Amino acid sequence: MSTDGSAPKKEPSGVDLARVALRAAKEAARARGDAAQQKKQARRGGLRSGARADGRDPMALGSAINRLITERGWETPAAVGGVMGRWPQIVGEDLAKHCVPQRYDEDERVLVVQCDSTAWATQLRHLSPALVARLNEDLGHGTVRMIKVLNPGGPPRRYGPLRAPGSTGPGDTYG
């Protein structure tokens, strides 16, 4: 607690501060450019179509997507999505056949991966420190703090005379 009785506030990290400062600088530069363009158009007598590019021209799809990602602050989720697309190249073909990334929690910085058997889940747990280091090399330091391994998804539990009481099916040995 601070001296005034309020709870201490969480200070933003260096990466977050840099991201906010970059976004503010880009917006200020864009605003200065827009103001200069409006003054120029006012002197010429309004908006005219011309040979030079301006803000009304169509934009390439890749440029539009990159601009949207930057404006919305989606750099990290987009980068992690790219890693999920390159998962076999990052972890290797054998591991990628049995372990699939499911989602990324940006707040906790946790990558959730589901394996198809308990043996592969154990293998992934042993390899997770090296994989976290490799992912952070691609994405930037601290982007992924931990890999959470989910239990194998098996068929639904069936009841019947050939089932042991209390069995949860093929995933009951997980853990």
Side-chain angles (χ1 to χ4, degrees), residues 158-165:
R158 288 183 242 131
Y159 297 98
L162 300 178
R163 291 282 178 203

Side-chain angles (χ1 to χ4, degrees), residues 148-168:
K148 181 179 178 183
V149 181
L150 296 180
N151 63 333
R157 180 173 158 178
R158 288 183 242 131
Y159 297 98
L162 300 178
R163 291 282 178 203
S167 170
T168 58

Side-chain angles (χ1 to χ4, degrees), residues 76-162:
T76 301
V80 172
V83 165
M84 288 183 178
R86 294 181 292 123
W87 183 251
Q89 290 84 19
I90 293 171
V91 300
E93 294 293 327
D94 290 337
L95 191 62
K97 288 179 188 175
H98 300 281
C99 302
V100 179
Q102 297 294 315
R103 64 185 172 275
Y104 173 72
D105 184 358
E106 188 176 4
D107 296 331
E108 297 293 323
R109 298 180 184 169
V110 174
L111 180 64
V112 180
V113 180
Q114 184 167 18
C115 298
D116 61 3
S117 72
T118 56
W120 284 104
T122 303
Q123 180 73 13
L124 184 64
R125 272 197 216 99
H126 289 297
L127 294 174
S128 66
L131 287 176
V132 167
R134 190 178 308 162
L135 289 168
N136 283 329
E137 284 176 15
D138 280 357
L139 301 172
H141 180 68
T143 304
V144 178
R145 283 187 19 221
M146 186 176 98
I147 295 178
K148 181 179 178 183
V149 181
L150 296 180
N151 63 333
R157 180 173 158 178
R158 288 183 242 131
Y159 297 98
L162 300 178

Side-chain angles (χ1 to χ4, degrees), residues 3 11-12 19 34 39 47 49 55 62-64 82-84 93 109 112 123 130 154 175:
T3 57
E11 294 294 324
R19 203 175 279 137
D34 289 345
K39 284 182 184 179
L47 294 175
S49 179
S63 300
V83 165
M84 288 183 178
E93 294 293 327
R109 298 180 184 169
V112 180
Q123 180 73 13

Side-chain angles (χ1 to χ4, degrees), residues 17-35:
L17 288 173
R19 203 175 279 137
V20 169
L22 177 64
R23 194 172 303 127
K26 285 182 178 180
E27 289 174 7
R30 190 176 300 120
R32 284 192 306 270
D34 289 345

